[in-house]
Coordinates of all heavy atoms in Angstrom, one line a residue:
Y152 N -15.3 -15.6 23.9 CA -15.1 -17.1 23.6 C -16.3 -17.9 24.2 O -16.1 -19.0 24.7 CB -13.8 -17.6 24.2 CG -12.6 -16.8 23.6 CD1 -12.2 -15.6 24.1 CD2 -12.0 -17.4 22.5 CE1 -11.1 -14.9 23.5 CE2 -10.9 -16.7 21.9 CZ -10.5 -15.5 22.3 OH -9.4 -14.8 21.8
A153 N -17.5 -17.4 24.1 CA -18.7 -18.0 24.5 C -19.3 -18.9 23.5 O -19.0 -18.8 22.3 CB -19.8 -17.0 25.0
P154 N -20.0 -20.0 23.8 CA -20.7 -20.7 22.9 C -21.5 -19.9 21.9 O -22.0 -18.8 22.1 CB -21.6 -21.7 23.6 CG -21.0 -21.6 25.0 CD -20.5 -20.2 25.1
K155 N -21.6 -20.4 20.6 CA -22.4 -19.7 19.6 C -23.8 -19.2 20.0 O -24.3 -18.2 19.7 CB -22.4 -20.5 18.3 CG -21.1 -20.7 17.6 CD -21.3 -21.4 16.3 CE -20.0 -21.4 15.6 NZ -20.1 -22.3 14.2
W156 N -24.5 -20.1 20.7 CA -25.9 -19.7 21.1 C -25.9 -18.5 22.1 O -27.0 -17.9 22.2 CB -26.6 -20.9 21.8 CG -26.1 -21.3 23.2 CD1 -25.1 -22.1 23.6 CD2 -26.6 -20.7 24.4 NE1 -25.0 -22.1 24.8 CE2 -25.8 -21.2 25.4 CE3 -27.4 -19.7 24.7 CZ2 -26.0 -21.0 26.8 CZ3 -27.7 -19.4 26.0 CH2 -26.9 -20.0 27.1
R157 N -24.8 -18.2 22.7 CA -24.9 -17.2 23.7 C -25.1 -15.8 23.2 O -25.2 -14.9 24.1 CB -23.6 -17.3 24.6 CG -23.8 -16.7 25.9 CD -24.9 -17.4 26.8 NE -25.2 -16.8 28.0 CZ -25.9 -15.7 28.2 NH1 -26.7 -15.3 27.1 NH2 -26.2 -15.2 29.3
W158 N -25.2 -15.5 22.0 CA -25.6 -14.2 21.5 C -27.1 -13.9 22.0 O -27.3 -12.8 22.2 CB -25.6 -14.1 20.0 CG -26.5 -14.9 19.3 CD1 -26.4 -16.1 18.8 CD2 -27.8 -14.4 18.9 NE1 -27.6 -16.5 18.1 CE2 -28.3 -15.5 18.2 CE3 -28.6 -13.2 19.0 CZ2 -29.8 -15.4 17.6 CZ3 -29.8 -13.1 18.5 CH2 -30.4 -14.1 17.9
L159 N -27.8 -15.1 22.2 CA -29.1 -14.8 22.6 C -29.1 -14.3 24.2 O -28.4 -14.8 25.0 CB -29.8 -16.1 22.6 CG -30.3 -16.7 21.3 CD1 -30.5 -18.1 21.3 CD2 -31.4 -15.9 20.8
G160 N -29.9 -13.4 24.5 CA -29.9 -12.8 25.8 C -29.0 -11.7 26.2 O -29.0 -11.2 27.2
L161 N -28.2 -11.3 25.1 CA -27.3 -10.1 25.2 C -28.0 -8.9 24.5 O -28.3 -8.9 23.4 CB -26.0 -10.4 24.5 CG -25.2 -11.5 25.1 CD1 -23.9 -11.7 24.4 CD2 -24.7 -11.2 26.7
N162 N -28.3 -8.0 25.4 CA -29.2 -6.8 24.9 C -28.4 -5.6 24.8 O -27.5 -5.3 25.8 CB -30.4 -6.7 25.7 CG -31.4 -7.8 25.7 OD1 -31.9 -8.1 24.6 ND2 -31.5 -8.6 26.7
H163 N -28.7 -4.7 24.0 CA -28.0 -3.4 23.8 C -29.0 -2.2 23.6 O -29.9 -2.4 22.7 CB -27.0 -3.6 22.6 CG -26.0 -4.7 22.8 ND1 -24.8 -4.7 23.6 CD2 -26.2 -6.0 22.5 CE1 -24.3 -5.8 23.6 NE2 -25.0 -6.6 23.0
A164 N -28.7 -1.3 24.4 CA -29.6 -0.1 24.2 C -29.4 0.7 23.0 O -28.2 0.6 22.5 CB -29.5 0.8 25.5
N165 N -30.3 1.4 22.6 CA -30.1 2.4 21.5 C -29.0 3.5 21.7 O -29.0 4.1 22.7 CB -31.5 3.2 21.1 CG -32.6 2.2 20.5 OD1 -33.6 2.2 21.2 ND2 -32.3 1.5 19.6
A166 N -28.1 3.5 20.7 CA -27.0 4.6 20.8 C -26.0 4.3 22.0 O -25.3 5.2 22.4 CB -27.5 5.9 20.8
A167 N -26.1 3.2 22.7 CA -25.1 2.8 23.7 C -23.9 2.4 23.0 O -23.9 1.9 21.8 CB -25.6 1.8 24.6
L168 N -22.8 2.5 23.8 CA -21.5 2.3 23.1 C -20.8 0.9 23.8 O -20.8 0.9 25.0 CB -20.5 3.5 23.3 CG -19.1 3.3 22.7 CD1 -19.2 3.3 21.2 CD2 -18.3 4.5 23.2
T169 N -20.4 0.1 22.9 CA -19.6 -1.1 23.3 C -18.3 -1.1 22.6 O -18.2 -0.7 21.4 CB -20.4 -2.4 23.0 OG1 -21.6 -2.5 23.8 CG2 -19.6 -3.5 23.2
V170 N -17.3 -1.3 23.3 CA -15.8 -1.2 22.7 C -15.2 -2.6 23.0 O -15.1 -3.0 24.0 CB -15.1 -0.1 23.3 CG1 -13.7 -0.1 22.5 CG2 -15.8 1.2 23.1
I171 N -14.6 -3.2 21.8 CA -13.8 -4.4 22.0 C -12.5 -4.1 21.4 O -12.3 -3.5 20.3 CB -14.5 -5.4 21.2 CG1 -15.9 -5.8 21.6 CG2 -13.6 -6.8 21.4 CD1 -16.7 -6.8 20.8
R172 N -11.5 -4.6 22.2 CA -10.0 -4.3 21.7 C -9.5 -5.7 21.4 O -9.7 -6.7 22.0 CB -9.2 -3.7 22.9 CG -7.9 -3.4 22.5 CD -7.2 -2.5 23.6 NE -7.2 -3.2 24.9 CZ -7.4 -2.6 26.0 NH1 -7.6 -1.3 26.1 NH2 -7.5 -3.2 27.2
Y173 N -8.7 -5.7 20.2 CA -8.1 -6.9 19.7 C -6.6 -6.6 19.5 O -6.2 -6.3 18.4 CB -8.7 -7.2 18.2 CG -10.2 -7.5 18.2 CD1 -11.1 -6.5 18.0 CD2 -10.7 -8.8 18.4 CE1 -12.4 -6.8 18.1 CE2 -12.1 -9.0 18.4 CZ -13.0 -8.1 18.2 OH -14.3 -8.3 18.2
P174 N -5.9 -6.9 20.6 CA -4.4 -6.8 20.4 C -3.8 -8.1 19.7 O -4.5 -9.2 19.7 CB -3.9 -6.7 21.8 CG -5.0 -7.4 22.6 CD -6.3 -7.3 22.0
A175 N -2.6 -8.0 19.3 CA -2.0 -9.0 18.5 C -1.5 -10.1 19.5 O -1.3 -11.2 19.0 CB -0.9 -8.6 17.6
D176 N -1.1 -9.7 20.7 CA -0.4 -10.7 21.5 C -1.3 -11.2 22.7 O -0.7 -11.9 23.6 CB 0.8 -9.9 22.1 CG 0.5 -8.6 23.0 OD1 -0.7 -8.3 22.9 OD2 1.3 -8.0 23.6
R177 N -2.6 -11.0 22.7 CA -3.3 -11.6 23.9 C -4.8 -11.6 23.3 O -5.1 -11.0 22.3 CB -3.1 -10.8 25.0 CG -3.6 -9.3 25.0 CD -3.2 -8.6 26.3 NE -3.5 -7.3 26.3 CZ -2.7 -6.2 25.7 NH1 -1.7 -6.6 25.1 NH2 -3.1 -5.0 25.7
P178 N -5.6 -12.3 24.0 CA -7.1 -12.4 23.6 C -7.8 -11.0 23.5 O -7.4 -10.0 24.2 CB -7.7 -13.4 24.7 CG -6.6 -14.1 25.3 CD -5.4 -13.1 25.1
A179 N -8.9 -11.0 22.8 CA -9.7 -9.9 22.8 C -10.3 -9.5 24.1 O -10.4 -10.4 24.9 CB -10.9 -10.1 21.8
S180 N -10.7 -8.2 24.3 CA -11.2 -7.8 25.6 C -12.4 -6.9 25.3 O -12.2 -6.0 24.5 CB -10.2 -7.3 26.6 OG -9.6 -6.1 25.9
V181 N -13.4 -7.0 26.0 CA -14.6 -6.1 25.9 C -14.2 -5.1 27.0 O -14.3 -5.2 28.2 CB -15.9 -6.8 26.4 CG1 -17.0 -5.7 26.3 CG2 -16.1 -8.0 25.5
V182 N -14.0 -3.9 26.4 CA -13.5 -2.7 27.3 C -14.6 -2.1 28.0 O -14.6 -1.9 29.2 CB -12.7 -1.6 26.4 CG1 -12.3 -0.5 27.3 CG2 -11.6 -2.3 25.7
V183 N -15.8 -1.8 27.3 CA -17.0 -1.2 27.8 C -18.1 -1.9 27.0 O -18.0 -2.3 26.0 CB -17.1 0.4 27.8 CG1 -16.1 0.9 28.6 CG2 -17.1 0.7 26.3
S184 N -19.3 -1.9 27.8 CA -20.5 -2.5 27.2 C -21.7 -1.6 27.6 O -21.9 -1.4 28.7 CB -20.7 -3.9 27.6 OG -21.9 -4.6 27.1
N185 N -22.6 -1.4 26.6 CA -23.8 -0.6 26.9 C -23.5 0.8 27.6 O -24.2 1.0 28.5 CB -24.7 -1.5 27.7 CG -25.8 -2.1 26.8 OD1 -26.3 -1.5 26.0 ND2 -26.0 -3.4 27.1
D186 N -22.4 1.4 27.3 CA -22.1 2.7 27.9 C -23.0 3.8 27.4 O -22.9 4.1 26.2 CB -20.7 2.9 27.7 CG -20.1 4.2 28.5 OD1 -20.9 4.9 29.0 OD2 -18.9 4.3 28.5
M187 N -23.7 4.4 28.3 CA -24.6 5.5 28.0 C -24.4 6.9 28.5 O -25.3 7.7 28.6 CB -26.1 5.0 28.3 CG -26.6 3.9 27.5 SD -28.3 3.3 28.0 CE -27.8 2.1 29.1
R188 N -23.1 7.0 29.0 CA -22.9 8.2 29.8 C -22.9 9.5 28.8 O -22.9 10.6 29.4 CB -21.4 8.2 30.4 CG -20.4 7.9 29.4 CD -19.0 7.8 30.2 NE -18.0 7.2 29.3 CZ -16.7 7.5 29.3 NH1 -16.3 8.6 30.0 NH2 -15.8 7.0 28.5
H189 N -22.9 9.4 27.5 CA -23.1 10.6 26.6 C -24.5 11.0 26.6 O -24.9 12.0 26.0 CB -22.6 10.1 25.3 CG -23.1 9.0 24.7 ND1 -22.5 7.7 25.1 CD2 -24.0 8.6 23.8 CE1 -23.2 6.7 24.5 NE2 -24.0 7.3 23.7
L190 N -25.5 10.1 27.0 CA -26.9 10.4 27.0 C -27.5 10.9 28.3 O -27.1 10.3 29.2 CB -27.7 9.2 26.5 CG -27.2 8.5 25.2 CD1 -28.0 7.2 25.1 CD2 -27.4 9.4 24.0

Side-chain angles (χ1 to χ4, degrees):
Y152 297 88
K155 287 184 177 182
W156 71 267
R157 199 60 188 87
W158 71 271
L159 289 160
L161 296 177
N162 295 297
H163 304 273
N165 295 123
L168 184 63
T169 293
V170 182
I171 305 175
R172 183 169 55 216
Y173 299 92
D176 58 350
R177 56 190 183 278
S180 59
V181 179
V182 180
V183 297
S184 179
N185 261 316
D186 187 344
M187 289 174 269
R188 59 187 164 133
H189 50 283
L190 301 176

